[in-house]
Amino acid sequence: MKLIAGPSSPLLTKRVAKRTGLEIAGVTYRKFPDGEIYVRVDDPEDESFAVINSMRSADDLIYLMLILDALNGKRVFAIIPYMGYARQDRAFLSGEAVSIRAVARMIESSAERVFTVNIHSERAKGHFRKLRELDAMERIGEHYRGKDVIMLSPDRGSLERVRKAAEIAGCDFDYLEKRRIDAENVEITPKNLEIENREVVIIDDIISTGGTVVTAASQLSDRASRIEAACIHGVFAGNALNRLYTSGVSEVKATDTVESQVSIISVSDIISEVLLNEI
Ligand code: R5P
């Protein structure tokens, strides 16, 4: 089996290649003057390939579609570390496209197996037949092992995820609760723990616009001694990183499911292990 580094996951693919010993196949990516995308797998002689390409944008989806087409007739594993389009996991209004269903159909029509890391919802996962979901929360826990921090979930619904990271890190954890003070004011505060003069880490699966973390951080910054934000998928739409830093967050950390200057926690070992077991 050879690896194919999609344009959105070159670093992660290199890390997986190093861990697995699998070679990375040469691929040519080009854009025509009108923006159309061109893909050529330079040497398609091998019989099986694992394509690694996160899906953060529409272009990423087209790249993936064309890579899969170039590998027509081969045995292909599609590894989509960040599965975009997963938030539209149902028709909220009649007539709406169920985006993740369309994505699932496209990928599964060519790929023998599909792997992703922490997909948005069980409902999104339900649109796939061949998907295996990998969990990166323990990598975040390992990153904070031995550090004297309180991990905070932005809401009760995500507490289980944060519990897992906190148990591995060996630190306290809690969730943030919104309390209405009066008609105009809402207070966001940890449900059970005091955070006065403590270092806190707000942990989420995705940071997209940054709105969720910014709202929490701006209310906690008077009390905590330091605030960090950590997530699995650092999507950082628009100027999200700037918004985070100006809201009182001292540092932002993410995994390399989406590659950026803050993707310092790697999921390459989780992907490598599963690849070696499934080849
Ligand atoms: C919600 O379901 C997710 O867990 C995240 O809290 C959300 O996607 C974050 O988005 P944003 O950064 O735009 O607030």
Side-chain angles (χ1 to χ4, degrees), residues 90-157:
R90 64 182 135 153
F92 298 90
L93 300 172
S94 67
E96 277 184 345
V98 180
S99 309
I100 196 63
R101 181 176 63 199
V103 166
R105 278 192 192 137
M106 187 280 285
I107 300 172
E108 293 193 333
S109 65
S110 313
E112 181 184 304
R113 300 290 312 273
V114 185
F115 301 93
T116 193
V117 178
N118 297 80
I119 193 166
H120 172 67
S121 63
E122 283 301 310
R123 191 189 292 266
K125 195 169 160 184
H127 290 293
F128 290 83
R129 290 173 293 116
K130 307 173 182 175
L131 180 70
R132 178 161 167 198
E133 185 189 19
L134 312 174
D135 185 3
M137 233 352 130
E138 61 191 73
R139 290 294 163 275
I140 293 188
E142 281 160 9
H143 180 82
Y144 287 98
R145 190 172 276 154
K147 295 193 175 119
D148 184 19
V149 295
I150 298 179
M151 290 187 168
L152 295 175
S153 162
D155 53 48
R156 190 174 189 162

Side-chain angles (χ1 to χ4, degrees), residues 13-218:
T13 309
K14 260 193 198 162
R15 290 174 176 155
V16 171
K18 198 166 169 204
R19 283 181 176 274
T20 57
L22 294 172
E23 203 181 311
I24 302 179
V27 183
T28 305
Y29 299 115
R30 275 209 327 254
K31 270 200 177 179
F32 292 104
D34 60 2
E36 283 189 2
I37 288 168
Y38 167 94
V39 170
R40 175 174 182 252
V41 176
D42 300 336
D43 180 6
E45 290 314 304
D46 282 76
E47 278 315 301
S48 56
F49 291 86
V51 181
I52 306 183
N53 198 45
S54 270
M55 203 194 292
R56 188 185 174 282
S57 69
D59 270 8
D60 295 333
L61 183 56
I62 303 287
Y63 277 115
L64 181 67
M65 192 173 89
L66 298 185
I67 297 166
L68 293 177
D69 189 75
L71 299 175
N72 189 29
K74 308 287 181 185
R75 178 176 183 237
V76 180
F77 288 179
I79 302 171
I80 324 293
Y82 169 61
M83 185 72 78
Y85 284 88
R87 279 174 278 194
Q88 185 76 16
D89 57 7
R90 64 182 135 153
F92 298 90
L93 300 172
S94 67
E96 277 184 345
V98 180
S99 309
I100 196 63
R101 181 176 63 199
V103 166
R105 278 192 192 137
M106 187 280 285
I107 300 172
E108 293 193 333
S109 65
S110 313
E112 181 184 304
R113 300 290 312 273
V114 185
F115 301 93
T116 193
V117 178
N118 297 80
I119 193 166
H120 172 67
S121 63
E122 283 301 310
R123 191 189 292 266
K125 195 169 160 184
H127 290 293
F128 290 83
R129 290 173 293 116
K130 307 173 182 175
L131 180 70
R132 178 161 167 198
E133 185 189 19
L134 312 174
D135 185 3
M137 233 352 130
E138 61 191 73
R139 290 294 163 275
I140 293 188
E142 281 160 9
H143 180 82
Y144 287 98
R145 190 172 276 154
K147 295 193 175 119
D148 184 19
V149 295
I150 298 179
M151 290 187 168
L152 295 175
S153 162
D155 53 48
R156 190 174 189 162
S158 308
L159 184 62
E160 279 316 302
R161 264 200 300 258
V162 175
R163 179 199 301 276
K164 184 169 183 182
E167 281 173 359
I168 291 169
C171 67
D172 295 331
F173 66 97
D174 201 355
Y175 69 92
L176 293 168
E177 190 179 54
K178 274 188 195 171
R179 276 196 213 128
R180 182 153 292 285
I181 310 291
D182 53 40
E184 274 97 49
N185 297 301
V186 171
E187 185 190 55
I188 296 176
T189 193
K191 172 76 177 160
N192 302 302
L193 297 178
E194 296 295 331
I195 57 158
E196 269 61 28
N197 301 318
R198 296 286 310 269
E199 292 195 16
V200 303
V201 188
I202 302 169
I203 298 197
D204 212 343
D205 58 342
I206 303 179
I207 299 180
S208 181
T209 64
T212 306
V213 174
V214 165
T215 308
S218 48

Side-chain angles (χ1 to χ4, degrees), residues 219-240:
Q219 291 231 9
L220 304 179
S221 58
D222 288 350
R223 286 176 278 157
S225 63
R226 187 171 186 276
I227 300 174
E228 261 187 43
C231 65
I232 295 171
H233 308 297
V235 173
F236 307 129
N239 64 352

